[in-house]
Amino acid sequence: MGDHDTLRVRLRAALCADDPWTALYSLNTDRPGLLAGAVEELYRSDTDHTAFRPYLTWLLRSLGEPGDAVLLRLLATPGLAGDDRRDLLRTTVVRGLRLPAELLRTYAQDAPASSGGKAGTGGSPAPELVDAMGLSGDPSFAPLLGALLEDPAAPRGRAALALGRLGARAWTAPIAGRLSEVTGLDHTAFTVALELMGDPAAVPHLLRWLAESGEERVYDVHHALVRLTGRDPLLPERASGAAYAAAVRAAWADGRTERAPAAVRDLVVESGARARFSVDEGAGRIRVAFDPPSPGSSWPRWDRSLTFDRKPLYRVGSLCDTCELGLTLLDWPDDEAARIAARMRGRLADLDRLDTALLAEWSLVLGELETGHYRALLLDLPLERVAEPARSWWYRRAAARAEADGDDGTRPECDRPEDYWPGAAHFQLTAPVPGGRVPFTYGAFLPSQPPEALDPAAVARHAAAVAAGERPAAVVLGWIDDRYVEALHEERWLVGAILDGHHRLTAYAAAGVPARVLLLARVGEGNGADGGLEGLAEVAAAYGCRE
């Protein structure tokens, strides 16, 4: 029996298993092209594809380019049944694939419409077809998509996003002008569509609507104004509800849209290990920002990424507080990110306390951060360097939860350490933070440059300094992230990106000496607002640098 026949037998056995999802997840995908071919063969089988269709399309979605090629071939099959076409089309949308415009026009004529009729006879196209038009790159779909903005029964939010993906700026004013007609996720989709357009013509419409809109819509409008103008005014710390809406309206009331120079304000040194400050009109070169909406998702704002000069470094995931936190390496930033942080290096050689003069000296660097309210903590953290997925807290935390529940901690066969791995060797606390309200408070600091690029000579120099009793400090941009995983387990993370000090932390970890870390943590809107201050206070109590 050849490789193809063997794989086909294994695939069929997985599909017929008591738990097909787990069995498929466990299939060896070292040869994705061969597996994609076996999936295509089963999908084209009249006796197999109806029963197995959801599993087969899911598997194609997970196989990368070989799976994409099969999806495109299947969609081009003449006489494709409506259920098959919808399922395949949804999968290609999730994959972000560009389908031929002529194929989409055929579907627009023939596919069942979302309103129950035929798209070619007056009904609106199904949502997945609207998404696919937006991904097509073909501006000729803009009039059809624009017409959907007027139909309350149509997928209006998806149509607006599709126009945004096409960059169809002729529809900027129509989208902005209809903000008063939409609510909920559609309102968010309309504002995100304007952000995707990047068209300054939306700004006057947004300013007018901001003055009139209800408080539940203010966040979306403010976010779009910041993205489109570059101006990011400072709002009161932890403002919410009516107070937040009033502060946003006041910040934009004069109609000014030009960004003023960044300013560090309200600098207060509480002790040698704790300080607070605010950044107004921050440049935002280093920030956590929402990703563009995922095609096919119902949520226009969901995933976020830590970005350097708008280039994503790590995907941070959603704000959903019942989901697990997980970070994923996307790409390394340009060298400019390291140069920004290096401007703080002169005073880090043996840092033993914070003071007003020190933070004022760093004000130009702090102004590169995102607008917001910050805490600066000088910490001595017991860190270890982790290069193996099975040793990382990202994986080990589930075993800790199982033990707390009285389970034996046995992990399912399909639960692999590498699936939790953030993509780079990193530093983590050797144990959860002691004494906290949340039973499990983990800590992980991820690199902002490739670990393999570290200079052994520089590590050795810092190791010698540490052995001599010096305490060179690393700088980490971090935050507290609170979760209630699956509405069962409270979990808290101190997480961050190393701005400067990769060599220093490597030296500390190798020596087993607590690492001196200057943590800059944003609190309030968007970054762990519900537990940030409590979590930072617990970290400071456990690890604050003793004067």
Side-chain angles (χ1 to χ4, degrees), residues 276-343:
R276 65 178 187 266
F277 63 92
S278 300
V279 178
D280 191 5
E281 297 284 11
R285 298 181 66 181
I286 306 167
R287 71 187 305 161
V288 175
F290 279 107
D291 297 340
S294 299
S297 171
S298 300
W299 298 91
R301 300 194 202 278
W302 187 253
D303 278 330
R304 303 164 299 149
S305 294
L306 177 65
T307 63
F308 281 57
D309 275 339
R310 298 194 174 225
K311 183 177 183 180
L313 170 60
Y314 288 99
R315 176 165 292 120
V316 177
S318 75
L319 287 169
C320 171
D321 61 2
T322 60
C323 300
E324 276 196 327
L325 173 67
L327 270 67
T328 305
L329 177 68
L330 298 174
D331 199 359
W332 298 113
D334 299 328
D335 291 340
E336 181 61 20
R339 286 194 287 271
I340 292 172
R343 286 150 59 186

Side-chain angles (χ1 to χ4, degrees), residues 345-546:
R345 193 170 295 164
R347 296 287 300 274
L348 297 172
D350 192 13
L351 185 62
D352 61 0
R353 63 176 291 110
L354 300 176
D355 57 54
T356 304
L358 176 68
L359 293 170
E361 178 183 325
W362 286 340
S363 60
L364 291 178
V365 179
L366 300 178
E368 303 284 9
L369 301 175
E370 181 180 6
T371 289
H373 304 276
Y374 290 82
R375 300 296 185 269
L377 302 180
L378 191 59
L379 306 169
D380 286 328
L381 297 173
L383 297 178
E384 60 183 350
R385 186 176 183 274
V386 182
E388 299 174 6
R391 289 187 53 225
S392 173
W393 286 119
W394 300 108
Y395 176 70
R396 290 165 57 194
R397 60 184 171 181
R401 290 199 299 255
E403 183 178 350
D405 287 344
D407 298 337
D408 61 6
T410 303
R411 306 290 286 267
E413 183 180 345
C414 64
D415 199 17
R416 302 175 297 192
E418 56 268 27
D419 294 330
Y420 295 82
W421 184 242
H426 56 276
F427 299 93
Q428 65 182 21
L429 292 175
T430 55
V433 178
R437 179 184 62 80
V438 177
F440 299 108
T441 297
Y442 304 106
F445 295 154
L446 283 82
S448 61
Q449 59 181 256
E452 60 271 18
L454 293 181
D455 179 3
V459 174
R461 287 196 302 273
H462 290 299
V466 170
E470 297 178 14
R471 291 296 176 263
V475 182
V476 173
L477 177 67
W479 63 95
I480 294 289
D481 191 295
D482 276 355
R483 304 284 167 138
Y484 190 32
V485 180
E486 297 178 349
L488 295 172
H489 304 279
E490 281 191 283
E491 186 174 283
R492 175 175 285 167
W493 282 84
L494 167 64
V495 65
I498 304 164
L499 300 186
D500 188 61
H502 297 78
H503 296 88
R504 279 158 264 169
L505 293 180
T506 302
Y508 278 120
V513 175
R516 184 68 51 86
V517 171
L518 174 60
L519 177 73
L520 304 175
R522 185 172 182 263
V523 298
E525 179 192 352
N527 280 341
D530 293 335
L533 290 174
E534 178 187 75
L536 290 172
E538 292 173 354
V539 169
Y543 305 118
C545 178
R546 308 303 176 193

Side-chain angles (χ1 to χ4, degrees), residues 89 92-101 104-105 108 125-146 148 155-168 175 193 196-197 292-296:
L89 192 55
T92 60
V93 165
V94 171
R95 288 289 299 158
L97 301 180
R98 178 178 291 190
L99 292 173
L104 295 179
R105 290 191 185 95
E128 61 271 12
L129 183 54
V130 171
D131 294 335
M133 290 175 179
L135 293 169
S136 71
D138 190 328
S140 69
F141 288 117
L144 187 155
L145 295 167
L148 300 180
R156 293 199 287 181
R158 294 176 106 118
L161 289 173
L163 289 164
R165 292 190 179 102
L166 289 173
I175 292 173
L196 293 174
M197 294 279 196
S294 299

